[in-house]
Amino acid sequence: MADNNRAVVFENARDMRVESLAFPKLEMPNGKSAPHGVILRIVATNICGSDLHIYRGSFPVPQGMVMGHEMTGEVIEVGTDVERVKVGDLVSVPFNVACGRCRNCKARHTEICENENVNPAVACGAYGFNLGDWTGGQAEYLFVPYADFQLLRFPDRDQAMEKIRDLALLSDILPTAFHGLMEAGAKPGSTVYIAGAGPVGRCGAAAARLLGASCIIVGDYYQDRLDLMKNNGCETIDLSQDVPLTDQIEAILGEPMVDCAVDYVGLEAHGIGREAEDMNPAYALNQVIDATRPGGATGVIGVYGPDPLAKSKAEQEGTFPIDFGKAWIKSPRISAGQAPIMHYNRELMMAILWDRMPYLSDMLNTKIISLDETPDAYATFDTGVSDKFIIDPHSLVPA
């Protein structure tokens, strides 16, 4: 067994580095023994759009933190209390760290686990995100607690490796995208507006197709991202055009609003047209609320929180101006927060394994990279390219 663990660490804003760290132990961040945990050899670990908030400095984390929260791996060591997960199993790791024992976990709200061993500061734990001091998974190896509860085991290893580019999305962005649509009430025949054609927004478009949505409209500033969506059956809106969003929706649908709208952007949003040059943390949020029809619903999946890069003191502290007065008359339903990955990941795994989402890889434009290529990939991803970067630390992903 290896005696060290190479990993991507946060040095400073826009400065990621690959360093050699100690091999993980079956031990919680607070030092408690974790016989309920396992050690994984990482097979695939992705760069997420949420990681870019950290990379840019919008989401503060401690120097030296190991990055990453989208992991798929092979079990190489199990704790004495682990009964259902075996050495050799290929598994997906939900990015939410959850105990399976508290009130919220028992209600399948694993995104807000209340166990103080997961996070003593707030009811939310996550790998590589300064939420409970959990080591991230952009590494060769990873410790995962509460393994019998947490891990999603793929039923057939060979089949899983053939579809690993798609299955690697189950740890976060595909269930997260699906959750946004569920919160927005998407169903067969729904008209849907998706704010943002980054990887999670593109997963949202793929999930909307799986759900049988009728017109799927995606808005973004990057033409290559919009081209990916257009080539996969979506309508697109170029947000750099100086035309109100609702007017552009009306040009497509014949009416200025949709049944369901989802904000997949978060606090690093920009405006439309001439306003697009300036960052406006609440822009995408207000945009999707405005684009949702009366009686419809809005999902807010993009990350919001205190933003040290914001212009105003209120926004730096996490208080954003929401156009609630204008929206109130529409009887709005607005749901926000992290996704409970375990609420959806098994069903989405089965959809992938049975080829119900054959367009997923085309929409995501996945690109396999090595661990050493990761710092440069962060810089490239930050330019708005249409790639979804999947890190392969052990050269295990088939060409």
Side-chain angles (χ1 to χ4, degrees), residues 266-271 275 278-284 286 304 315 321:
L267 53 77
E268 291 186 288
H270 297 265
E275 300 172 339
D278 297 322
M279 192 159 66
N280 182 338
Y283 201 95
N286 286 317
Y304 287 90
E315 290 166 343

Side-chain angles (χ1 to χ4, degrees), residues 236-284:
T236 60
I237 288 176
D238 182 352
L239 297 178
S240 67
Q241 300 298 310
D242 202 18
V243 180
L245 175 64
T246 50
D247 288 359
Q248 297 190 64
I249 291 174
E250 185 170 21
I252 295 168
L253 277 179
E255 55 185 358
M257 299 179 190
V258 295
D259 298 325
C260 321
V262 186
D263 168 13
Y264 289 118
V265 180
L267 53 77
E268 291 186 288
H270 297 265
I272 280 182
R274 286 169 293 182
E275 300 172 339
E277 296 301 317
D278 297 322
M279 192 159 66
N280 182 338
Y283 201 95

Side-chain angles (χ1 to χ4, degrees), residues 40 43 94 119 147 160 178 209 279:
L40 301 183
V43 173
N119 190 344
F178 196 87
R209 283 186 60 177
M279 192 159 66

Side-chain angles (χ1 to χ4, degrees), residues 59-363:
F59 192 95
V61 301
Q63 187 179 40
M65 187 191 77
V66 178
M67 294 290 297
H69 56 271
E70 298 187 3
M71 294 81 67
T72 307
E74 176 191 8
V75 178
I76 61 170
E77 181 181 347
V78 299
T80 55
D81 287 352
V82 178
E83 297 180 353
R84 299 180 62 84
V85 177
K86 309 298 182 187
V87 171
D89 284 348
L90 194 62
V91 296
S92 177
V93 185
F95 83 86
N96 326 109
V97 181
C99 69
R101 306 170 183 184
C102 70
R103 175 180 176 180
N104 284 340
C105 283
K106 288 180 178 180
R108 298 184 76 185
H109 279 296
T110 53
E111 81 281 18
I112 42 176
C113 175
E114 296 177 301
N115 191 320
E116 66 177 13
N117 291 312
V118 169
N119 190 344
V122 65
C124 177
Y127 300 94
F129 224 95
N130 197 23
L131 291 168
D133 295 326
W134 292 95
T135 297
Q138 289 174 8
E140 293 177 324
Y141 301 94
L142 177 72
F143 160 65
V144 176
Y146 309 112
D148 280 336
F149 176 69
Q150 286 257 273
L151 294 176
L152 174 68
R153 185 179 68 85
F154 300 139
D156 183 277
R157 183 188 179 90
D158 291 340
Q159 181 191 30
M161 288 304 296
E162 290 176 2
K163 299 178 180 293
I164 195 66
R165 287 173 180 258
D166 291 351
L167 293 172
L169 307 175
L170 290 172
S171 54
D172 179 5
I173 63 170
L174 183 56
T176 289
F178 196 87
H179 176 65
L181 293 165
M182 290 293 96
E183 295 300 284
K187 59 186 179 182
S190 294
T191 57
V192 176
Y193 174 68
I194 289 171
V200 68
R202 300 201 296 274
C203 276
R209 283 186 60 177
L210 181 68
L211 288 167
S214 54
C215 182
I216 304 167
I217 306 171
V218 184
D220 205 290
Y221 305 95
Y222 297 101
Q223 192 58 50
D224 56 344
R225 291 179 172 185
L226 294 175
D227 290 343
L228 270 177
M229 296 291 85
K230 193 75 172 178
N231 293 338
N232 281 279
C234 299
E235 300 296 325
T236 60
I237 288 176
D238 182 352
L239 297 178
S240 67
Q241 300 298 310
D242 202 18
V243 180
L245 175 64
T246 50
D247 288 359
Q248 297 190 64
I249 291 174
E250 185 170 21
I252 295 168
L253 277 179
E255 55 185 358
M257 299 179 190
V258 295
D259 298 325
C260 321
V262 186
D263 168 13
Y264 289 118
V265 180
L267 53 77
E268 291 186 288
H270 297 265
I272 280 182
R274 286 169 293 182
E275 300 172 339
E277 296 301 317
D278 297 322
M279 192 159 66
N280 182 338
Y283 201 95
L285 177 57
N286 286 317
Q287 206 176 61
V288 293
I289 293 171
D290 189 41
T292 304
R293 70 171 180 83
T298 303
V300 183
I301 297 303
V303 174
Y304 287 90
D307 179 7
L309 302 184
K311 291 181 178 180
S312 72
K313 186 175 185 296
E315 290 166 343
Q316 290 170 10
E317 295 173 348
T319 301
F320 303 102
I322 301 175
D323 295 337
F324 190 71
K326 186 170 67 174
W328 181 87
I329 197 66
K330 296 195 296 183
S331 296
R333 288 184 295 129
I334 304 166
S335 181
Q338 295 187 32
I341 299 304
M342 295 178 66
H343 199 81
Y344 310 104
N345 62 352
R346 185 186 182 279
E347 289 79 2
L348 290 168
M349 174 189 74
M350 296 302 290
I352 291 170
L353 293 177
W354 287 93
D355 295 322
R356 295 299 180 254
M357 306 182 77
Y359 40 80
L360 191 56
S361 288
D362 287 342
M363 283 190 168

